[in-house]
Amino acid sequence: MAEQEKTVAKKTKKSQKKEQTLVIVESPAKAKTIEHYLGTGYVVKASMGHLIDLPKSRIAIDVENNFEPEYITVRGRAKLLKELQKDAKNSTHVFLASDPDREGEAIAWHLNHVLSEKTKADIKRIEFNEITPLAIKEAVKHPREIDEARVNAQKARRVLDRLVGYNLSPLLWKKVKNGLSAGRVQSVALRLICEREQEVENFIPEEYWTLDADFMKGRTKFTAQLTQYKDTKPELKNENAVKEIISEIQNSTCVVKDIKETEKTVRPKAPFTTSKLQQASANRLGYTSRKTMQIAQQLYEGIQIGSTRVGLITYMRTDSTRISQTAIDDVRDWISKNYPEDLPAEKIEYAVGKSAQDAHEAIRPTYVKYTPDSVKEYLTRDQHRLYSIIWERFVSCQMNNAKTKTTSVDIQAGDALFRVSASKLSHKGFYNVIKTLSSKEDVTGNLPSLKIGEEVKSDKFYPEQHFTQGPSRYTDASMVKTLEEKGIGRPSTYAPIISVLLDRYYVTRSNKQLVPTMLGKIICKILVESFPEVINEEFTSEVENDLDKVEQNQLVWNNMIGDFFGPFKKRLDEVTEKAESLKGTLDEPTDMLCEKCGKPMVKKLGRFGYFLACSGFPECHNTKSIPLAKCPRKGCNGSIVARKTKGRGKEFYGCTNYPECDFISHFKPIDVYCPKCGWFLVEKFDKKNGTYKSCINPDCDYLHSAEDSVAAETAGEIPASGEVSKE
């Protein structure tokens, strides 16, 4: 009897083993959501990203053997790998459910190799674009083999980046300093940022003026702008030109000369791709690309909504605007119930870009019924704001067009013609669901009822000074847009490209703009001069096209690498042979003495830019910030240097004589002094004037213009560096 019970127990245990299916995803959050959907019989574990990868300590590419990579277990991941092997051994089926892209396919490929050595379980790949019960169960029903072509595309990209980065970095060590690194794609992005910075620095603003006027009809006031003077567009280059016009027209009779009404149809925008989401998030919410993708990942992997865990959005790395038929049916059903008058007769389709891989749908909510308001209490503020713009963009893309009505009124005052326009929505259409994405430009101004020939009264004139705007520095939004337009990188790499440049301190953020550091400029100059055929957008775009061909089985990955590496290695050897170590030559002697030992101070380049260090190192370790300008306070002989606040480490600029002198500037001094008061100038930015230079003195209204700059330099009014007027 006892033997029979043991036999039954063994059979039961064996049958339980047969029922277990192991599902391996990348993150614990995703594992938690999927396990909730699959229920009993499934064990869902997370690989935490790559478990097998190239070592960091060496190049690990066999260039003599078809560029085969040497993979190892990632440091610190051996224990997790053994646990997954043990789980696989106790399972009859293993589903590899890493992300549906090249990196995810590579993770699945590596897992397949290491798990198949320890288990006889049937190992398959499953893929899904959204984490919903239906999508997960459908994926489980239709497992597939590993896509070798997609794996090869990832391998080619990894090998190419390793060959470029691990060969260029030693060159920077020789020419600049140890510890620097270069990357194939990041270096091209750095070049774009540095070239734009050069344009910004070379731009000289020119002064111009505008003239607005308040008009009255009864008690109603409205403002119009001067558009014509004596039948031509006025060129108001200085204040005197504006004053002359005002003096001539201020007593003139003002008459409504013309009224025009136009209607405009506004089409809804396509649902989000990765780049468009990052751009909208930066412009509307002020999020960096990295922050946007981190929040989107959370929404994709699953949020606890009451007693249910829900993946709120589809996969967030995509370059397609395609929408599944199921999603179309869902959103049209919602619109028919909530805004039936704005439901189009047919679904609206959006063109997919020529360079799009179209592997995944557009970014959209998985369930339209989860409106932003209905899930607000379950989300953080950041999650709710990002989910709101995704939901709004998707729902609105399947609604009727909006219509705006614009009224333009021309007011004749003597020889001057003023114009005012006001717009309003005549039909809201898709704007019914737009809240977070709404723009102030959608509706502008109100006008009183006016008729042609009717007299109005001029009330007040407003002359205003402006300066022409030069090229704007890149922001996260404009950088992502440029990368996409030029074919540099892919949706999954836009955020990492910017993050790497910031982390290496080749670029910093200033007023949300990307500004190259001195270190970044030096590195860019060396790389572009040494490898112009590699550090350029055309080559980088061609590489992306070739990787697509590898993924489509139209190109052999080894051949692609071979075609590149031969010429690259030849050029590398030439540059390396000619390169002499410049270590130490970047150190500039100064006339300042170390206050600790009396030896001369030396200007050195560090990871965070230039600094002053004692030439007596290592006996003396004294270092300090480089003076940026002389302190403008009367009687103070201190210098303005960069400092950081305690806690958050926010940069500001203060006097070296603190606490005796408490002068502070939140704007960085530039190498120009004010010709009016002698205080230093700073660079500022606003949406109206763009980047401009102004005096830091609160009692001085000086703005740096081309005319002022030339006049000041000619007259010798700008003090030399270090000389500040005491008047």
Side-chain angles (χ1 to χ4, degrees), residues 329-346:
D329 294 340
D330 183 30
V331 70
R332 284 180 62 82
D333 180 63
W334 187 90
I335 296 169
S336 69
K337 293 175 181 176
N338 293 274
Y339 299 98
E341 69 281 2
D342 287 310
L343 177 67
E346 301 290 339

Side-chain angles (χ1 to χ4, degrees), residues 111 154 248 275 346 352 391 396 524:
L111 284 172
Q154 189 275 346
E248 289 186 21
S275 67
E346 301 290 339
V352 177
W391 188 93
S396 66
C524 180

